Each structure stands twice: as C-alpha cells, then as structure tokens.
Amino acid sequence: MGVSAVIFDFGGVITSSPFDAFNRLEAERGLPKDTVRRINALNPDSNAWALFERAEIDAAAFDRMFAEEASTLGHALDGASVLAVLAGTVRPAMVAALDRLKSEGYRLGCITNNVPTGHGAGMARSGDAHDEMERIFARFEHVIESSKAGVRKPDPRIYLMMCEKLGLTPDACIYLDDLGVNCKPAAQLGMHAIKVTSGEQALADLGAALGIAF
C-alpha cells in the first residue's frame, strides 16, 4: 500500500524544539545542560511529566513533583519555570509543507504529548480560531492530545488510535517526531518514521519519501 497520510508530532516538529528553550533556562539558572532531560528520564512512565501529560495530576502537583525530582539529582528547579518556557516558535516552512501535502491529496494527522494547562506548543489548546497555534491545528484531519486521550507517546496505543481515526493501516502512514523514543514504536507498527533534527532535514527526508520537493 502506498502512503496516504502523514502524521506529525507538534512541539519540536511544527515548532522549534522545547529542548532549546530548556537549555536556555538551564543556562540562566546555572544548571548543567540537559538537566530537564535528565530529570524527565527518571521513571519515564510515572514521573511528574508523564503524569501531567496524561492529565493525572494538575499544574500545582506537577510543580511540586518536578521540583522533588530535580532535588533528587541535586538541582533546584521548579516545574512552573519549566512550563513557562515550553511553548516553541512556529516553523513557517513546516506549516507551508502541511498546505502542500494537503494540496497533493495526503491526509494529515497530529499526535502530541501535551499538558492540560497554559497554551502553546506542548500545552493545552485554546479553542480560539484566531489563535496562530489553533489555525495550524485546524489543518489536521485528526489531532490526538495525550492530555485528553489519557495515553502518551511512546505507548503504541496512541499511534493505533490515529490509524483507527484515519481508517488506515500503519504502513499507509509516515510519522515525524523529534524524539527517537517516539519514532521507534511507530516504525515497529509499520509506519515510515522520520526523526526530526531540524526543519530542513525533516522536509528533505519527507520529500525523499514522497517524491516531492518542498
């Protein structure tokens, strides 16, 4: 079967990577680079970040739990400060690619691990049709948010949920994500997975897979 749909992660793909913002925060606080990543690697299925992305705790609990997890690594960093820098900046070329794909007849989906508070990439949607992020989300036929679905990547169920919504088998889909751990289950299910390291690289790899020059 040929490719019928392209499924995107949002933060780090459609927008700039939140890890860049985390690194700036770490530098401002005098913390080692990638401190936030290391904290989030602790108990990745049950830590503060995982619980918050599944909407199993609220923002206040996340703030407290994240600070406790940071403390176990010897760092002082509260969750609220991390959330404050989570929203990324939009990559215009990626948005243009969405329109190009749609004009070429490809169906579009988005699977995003997000948190049920705030607003922006990686955070709760506003529902405001005039908002820049919402106008981008409107381009997708289906959007699955971890904070609403109660399941988050890399759980294979969330990819299968998208396939069910699209009425397609995994081998009819291309999936793009900036995290290898999220690409792996997509590939294991049969999707053509593309790990995104930059907007330019993502469009080059996607174009090569589809025979389109972006």
Side-chain angles (χ1 to χ4, degrees):
M1 182 183 293
V3 173
S4 299
V6 183
I7 304 167
F8 293 80
D9 174 29
F10 201 81
V13 177
I14 302 299
T15 66
S16 59
S17 173
F19 295 115
D20 295 337
F22 294 159
N23 288 160
R24 289 192 293 273
L25 173 64
E26 291 154 357
E28 292 170 4
R29 298 293 182 89
L31 298 169
K33 184 179 179 182
D34 293 332
T35 291
V36 174
R37 279 194 174 198
R38 282 192 288 275
I39 294 169
N40 287 341
L42 297 173
N43 306 311
D45 293 324
S46 59
N47 62 18
W49 204 277
L51 294 176
F52 202 25
E53 286 188 333
R54 293 195 300 261
E56 294 175 13
I57 58 173
D58 61 14
F62 172 79
D63 181 38
R64 182 179 64 255
M65 285 184 64
F66 187 91
E68 292 170 354
E69 291 166 357
S71 180
T72 65
L73 294 182
H75 304 304
L77 182 61
D78 58 287
S81 295
V82 176
L83 291 181
V85 302
L86 183 57
T89 56
V90 172
R91 290 169 167 162
M94 296 300 293
V95 178
L98 295 178
D99 293 335
R100 173 72 185 283
L101 288 167
K102 203 163 188 177
S103 72
E104 294 281 349
Y106 291 100
R107 300 171 67 188
L108 303 177
C110 177
I111 303 174
T112 177
N113 280 358
N114 68 348
V115 297
T117 188
H119 179 55
M123 306 179 82
R125 295 174 60 184
S126 71
D128 180 357
H130 300 290
D131 178 81
E132 180 184 25
M133 295 291 182
E134 292 304 315
R135 291 200 302 271
I136 298 172
F137 276 118
R139 288 166 161 84
F140 298 105
E141 184 177 338
H142 296 289
V143 177
I144 297 180
E145 303 172 74
S146 67
S147 64
K148 292 180 180 178
V151 59
R152 65 195 284 270
K153 298 175 288 184
D155 190 322
R157 290 178 296 167
I158 202 166
Y159 306 89
L160 293 174
M161 288 169 63
M162 178 59 75
C163 289
E164 183 177 354
K165 284 181 176 293
L166 292 169
L168 296 171
T169 54
D171 61 347
C173 305
I174 290 179
Y175 179 70
L176 296 91
D177 200 296
D178 63 321
L179 296 180
V181 68
N182 292 340
C183 288
K184 184 177 180 179
Q188 289 175 334
L189 289 170
M191 294 182 183
H192 179 131
I194 296 174
K195 184 177 184 298
V196 175
T197 57
S198 71
E200 294 77 12
Q201 166 268 326
L203 291 179
D205 288 356
L206 180 58
L210 296 174
I212 296 175
F214 288 104

